[in-house]
Structures are given as structure tokens and as C-alpha cells.
Amino acid sequence: MLGHHYTRTFLETAVASMNAGCNLELSYGMRNNVFMHIPKALAMGNITLQMLRDRVRPLFYTRMRLGEFDPPAMNPYSALDLSVVQSPEHRNLSLEAAVKSFVLLKNVRGTLPLRARDLPGKRLAVVGPFADNPRVLFGDYAPVPEPRYIYTPRRGLETLPANISFAAGCQEPRCQQYSQAEVVGAAGAADVVVVCLGTGTDLETEAKDRRDLSLPGHQLELLQDAVQ
């Protein structure tokens, strides 16, 4: 209603939201929010009691599964303490989730995976603004892990039995200031080049959309210099 002008009133917005299947409103800090108008919509016949029950049911089902209505002593989540934060078991689970979430678009000539047994004596270059900058690796609403647990591509590759060189090329995702010689020098002397590009929350996040999907700044030039 306020941003996109799809509706004109809170009442109309509540009805449209309910009809669309929405059952939860993020209304932090709003004294007069949209869903406070649901009783009026019900009284006017804009929505039915059955629809209201259908929307509420999964909310309370989730709260029941979380144990919110149980005595604290019966809730297993109450027994969790700081010892489980960054525990080896959870770190291993995070590693497994990361491995299983990769999307490989191409694998020309079976270049991947890089096998540690094939790397001794090889020269690897890791380049790009995302190669060794922990700050830009996490998306919007991501937790802030302890620095010792953050493995940038450079830090991870340096655990392999290979000669690793590094060149950021540009220090941040906007990549307005680009050091071409730095990238060409590192990539030209390498057997394998790992290029780390992207956007990060500096360029796209909630309420900050992009007009196109092009790589920002000089990142495309960096990529072309690294692989030529």
C-alpha cells in the first residue's frame, strides 16, 4: 500500500494478503499494522472465519512444535547453552551443507574437482574482490561468525599442498578502482586460476535492488584478464 500502491487502505491490504495466503505480518514498531484490520474484514464479510482459521492453524502448529506452550523444563531448546555454538558437530554440518549447496554450471574437460594429490608443485592463483575479504562473503541477515571460523577462498586454498598466489584486483565489490597488472601478474604465472566475483550486500540487499545482472564495476574486465 505504502510502497507499491497495490492497495489503498490497510483494510484492503489485509483482505488482499489473506486471500493471497499470507498469514504473518512483519509489523515491528507499527502501532496500527495491517492485520489489526482482520476483525473488521471478518465483520464486513470480506473474509470468512474458515479462511482465518486456515491461516492461523500453521502458525500455532509451528509454535507448538517449538514448545512455546510447554513448561520450560519440557522444552529441549531450553537446555541449549553456549557450548553448542560453533561446536565441532555443527561446524561439520555447516561444511556438509556448503558442499551440497554448490551449483556447478560447467566442468570443461573435467577440470574439477581439484585433487590434493595432483597439486604438489602446481601454482594456484586466487584473484578477485571476494578472494580474501571476509566481510563480503555473507548475505543479508546472515549471522556474524567468529573470525577464526571464516575461511575465505584464499585461506581455504592455502591449506592445499600447492604454491598459492593472491591478487584482489579491487578491494570491494563495486570494483571502481582496478589493478589490472596485479591480476595479470598473478594469473599469468599460475597453472590454475580461481576467480572470486560477486555483489554482496554492498550492492544488493533488502530495499536495494539492481537494474541488471551484470558484474559490477571492472569485475568482468578482471575475469577476462584472469582467464585470457
Side-chain angles (χ1 to χ4, degrees):
M1 182 186 73
L2 300 177
H4 298 284
H5 307 290
Y6 179 73
T7 53
R8 292 167 296 179
T9 66
F10 274 15
L11 176 63
E12 185 182 353
T13 306
V15 173
S17 300
M18 293 281 286
N19 284 328
C22 182
N23 65 353
L24 195 62
E25 178 186 4
L26 177 57
S27 57
Y28 178 79
M30 292 180 62
R31 293 184 178 180
N32 183 27
N33 59 55
V34 171
F35 277 5
M36 289 296 288
H37 293 75
I38 288 177
K40 184 176 181 181
L42 185 64
M44 295 176 61
N46 297 120
I47 62 173
T48 66
L49 184 59
Q50 185 59 47
M51 177 187 289
L52 181 58
R53 287 172 173 162
D54 291 341
R55 299 294 179 266
V56 168
R57 184 177 292 109
L59 297 178
F60 279 88
Y61 176 67
T62 301
R63 295 184 65 185
M64 290 178 68
R65 292 189 65 190
L66 290 172
E68 290 188 6
F69 304 111
D70 297 331
M74 292 178 58
N75 189 335
Y77 296 107
S78 300
L80 298 177
D81 57 30
L82 290 178
S83 66
V84 303
V85 178
Q86 294 289 3
S87 65
E89 293 81 8
H90 288 173
R91 289 174 58 202
N92 289 335
L93 182 60
S94 296
L95 176 61
E96 179 184 353
V99 169
K100 291 182 176 180
S101 66
F102 285 133
V103 177
L104 184 64
L105 299 181
K106 284 187 176 182
N107 193 16
V108 179
R109 301 176 189 171
T111 302
L112 298 174
L114 297 176
R115 296 177 175 85
R117 65 174 182 268
D118 299 329
L119 293 179
K122 291 292 183 70
R123 297 166 299 176
L124 269 67
V126 53
V127 302
F130 284 72
D132 197 38
N133 186 346
R135 186 187 65 81
V136 301
L137 294 181
F138 301 94
D140 203 5
Y141 292 96
V144 182
E146 296 182 39
R148 58 183 170 141
Y149 295 126
I150 301 175
Y151 274 78
T152 63
R154 178 189 183 184
R155 182 184 176 190
L157 288 170
E158 285 180 342
T159 65
L160 299 175
N163 181 17
I164 306 295
S165 60
F166 161 69
C170 42
Q171 298 303 318
E172 40 79 34
R174 295 186 186 279
C175 203
Q176 299 297 322
Q177 304 294 325
Y178 170 48
S179 176
Q180 182 182 45
E182 180 185 16
V183 171
V184 171
D191 300 302
V192 178
V193 181
V194 179
V195 187
C196 306
L197 307 174
T199 55
T201 55
D202 288 355
L203 291 169
E204 52 184 327
T205 180
E206 182 179 0
K208 189 190 293 184
D209 300 327
R210 302 182 65 217
R211 291 184 175 90
D212 58 64
L213 297 179
S214 302
L215 287 168
H218 292 279
Q219 285 198 31
L220 179 58
E221 183 182 351
L222 188 157
L223 174 62
Q224 292 168 336
D225 291 337
V227 300
Q228 66 181 0

